[in-house]
Amino acid sequence: MTDGKGAFNVLESVKTHIDSLKPLQPKQAIVCIGEYPIKLLLKQLNSKTQETIAIFVDKSSEEIYQWIPKGYNPHFVLGFEDANVNTHFWYNVLPYISQNQSIVESLSQKPIEKLRGVVIVASVWDGVGSASLPTLISKFKETNKNALSLAILPSKIQPSDAYFNAFAALGNCVSIDDSTILLLDRDCLENFEGVDRSGAQMKGNLIVNYLVDLLLSKESLADEVTELSRTFNTKMFAALLASGASMKIYGSLENIFEAALLKPLLNFDLPSAGLLYVLIRMPESLKDKLPRGKIELAIATWFKEKANLKSIYITEPVYTEDTSDRIDVALLIGGFDTSKMFSEYEMKTKSLKASAIKKGAIKEEEWQAMTKNLLEGA
């Protein structure tokens, strides 16, 4: 038995070594912009994020490397202070990031012909996130890569400059054809309570990490959501997320949806919504109990009294080898009315906008175009 076990270990070792020699063939990239999302991603590294091209963007590359744990190697790091760029407001950062081709060039050094999509996570309350998010959406579009962008909005207690940057970020994003933005509210994230697939308690903004992991589990996600967005000319989405929901405890999918509705990741006007994209991750053992058709019927029934949806797209579930009955459900909801939310943003930014125009940092017509894009809905 000792010899057999030893032989087995040798074979496993050889196999592991051969696997390690295989060239990286990433199918997705994740871009984290800003200290907030970068630290969240690095706090709970998992196999999926490590198999994905990872790009980090913030004020200082030196600081980013200090946050990165030993043994984790991101594909590319970009810091603006390295180029002496003032990063407080978006209009300071925009000229530099617009001209900078380093991220696209770094991707070209990898075998990315099979790269299906990009997930971008950005905190948009500072100059780096505000300028970089729309710029990188455009740059990836130029390389024919679809991007799903998670824009983390400022907390109610943050000052007006945070809203000024966030307003500009989203105004510029919606001016880009085929841009698809999932809005996440910082206060909702900080107050989130739930469980993961093992049933362990999960509190606060780590739900962002969990959501990213779920989104990356579906390689075709960016393509599918972008196609839905393009078809119905809808660029902004909100999320309802049920994490680690036990079918035995909840009893039905409808009950799981109700629980997710109590803790949205953005406070939005659900009755005005028009589109729905559904991603479910569940154990292989539930495949026969919860076929795609049954899921579709449950969702259509639940939404019937809540919103007059134009379209529901349920992607093929992601199956896991878990032994539990816990599932993850992400409902990405688009087409809702954003005018009230962005009217409040506009009110908070008036003085900063006037000051920026007075000193020639931005043009009045430029700001009016952003305002029109956001207040008329996206």
Side-chain angles (χ1 to χ4, degrees), residues 107-367:
L107 283 175
S108 67
Q109 297 170 10
K110 289 285 186 180
I112 62 167
E113 62 275 1
K114 293 185 178 181
L115 190 68
R116 295 199 61 178
V118 181
V119 174
I120 305 175
V121 189
S123 50
V124 295
W125 55 73
D126 59 25
V128 172
S130 178
S132 299
L133 180 59
T135 302
L136 293 184
I137 291 173
S138 295
K139 288 182 183 294
F140 283 120
K141 183 186 173 186
E142 291 170 4
T143 62
N144 296 315
K145 306 300 178 187
N146 290 320
L148 172 62
S149 302
L150 281 62
I152 305 177
L153 306 178
S155 165
K156 287 183 174 60
I157 64 172
Q158 288 182 251
S160 58
D161 59 351
Y163 285 86
F164 179 67
N165 282 322
F167 191 89
L170 298 173
N172 284 321
C173 283
V174 298
S175 69
I176 303 168
D177 291 339
D178 300 338
S179 62
T180 309
I181 307 105
L182 177 60
L183 303 177
L184 303 174
D185 182 272
R186 184 176 183 178
D187 290 329
C188 291
L189 300 177
E190 299 286 354
N191 294 320
F192 186 88
E193 293 187 10
V195 296
D196 60 20
R197 295 209 311 278
S198 67
Q201 190 175 39
M202 182 168 52
K203 284 188 175 183
N205 59 17
L206 284 178
I207 190 59
V208 176
N209 192 299
Y210 198 86
L211 175 61
V212 169
D213 178 61
L214 176 58
L215 298 178
L216 289 174
S217 70
K218 187 69 179 180
E219 292 176 355
S220 59
L221 176 124
D223 289 340
E224 292 174 354
V225 179
T226 299
E227 182 179 350
L228 185 66
S229 172
R230 182 191 304 119
T231 301
F232 291 92
N233 194 30
T234 296
K235 297 179 179 179
M236 292 193 180
F237 289 77
L240 297 179
L241 177 65
S243 61
S246 167
M247 290 299 296
K248 184 180 295 185
I249 294 173
Y250 283 93
S252 69
L253 286 173
E254 290 88 345
N255 289 338
I256 291 176
F257 303 151
E258 287 291 342
L261 185 58
L262 296 176
K263 46 187 177 183
L265 303 185
L266 175 78
N267 292 312
F268 68 104
D269 183 27
L270 178 59
S272 65
L275 298 180
L276 175 64
Y277 177 92
V278 182
L279 172 61
I280 294 182
R281 178 168 59 186
M282 64 182 179
E284 183 82 28
S285 59
L286 294 179
K287 189 172 184 177
D288 293 334
K289 296 179 182 178
L290 290 176
R292 196 170 174 181
K294 185 174 182 178
I295 295 170
E296 185 173 5
L297 183 60
I299 289 173
T301 302
W302 187 75
F303 266 97
K304 186 176 181 181
E305 303 300 325
K306 293 177 174 61
N308 185 23
L309 298 179
K310 299 175 185 176
S311 179
I312 298 175
Y313 184 92
I314 302 173
T315 190
E316 183 68 25
V318 174
Y319 296 104
T320 69
E321 296 179 358
D322 296 354
T323 57
S324 72
D325 69 339
R326 295 183 180 275
I327 68 174
D328 297 317
V329 182
L331 305 177
L332 307 188
I333 302 166
F336 54 90
D337 184 11
T338 60
S339 59
K340 181 180 178 182
M341 177 174 65
F342 290 124
S343 291
E344 294 175 356
Y345 275 47
E346 185 192 23
M347 289 295 295
K348 293 181 178 182
T349 63
K350 278 190 173 182
S351 62
L352 284 172
K353 181 257 304 188
S355 175
I357 291 174
K358 186 176 181 180
K359 66 181 182 181
I362 62 174
K363 297 179 180 179
E364 175 69 38
E365 56 268 27
E366 179 183 14
W367 189 262

Side-chain angles (χ1 to χ4, degrees), residues 20-47:
S20 70
L21 296 177
K22 292 179 182 178
L24 177 65
Q25 292 289 342
K27 294 185 179 179
Q28 294 185 99
I30 180 167
V31 183
C32 287
I33 308 172
E35 178 179 353
Y36 190 88
I38 291 173
K39 286 187 173 180
L40 282 179
L41 179 72
L42 294 175
K43 193 173 290 185
Q44 289 187 340
L45 293 175
N46 53 63
S47 59

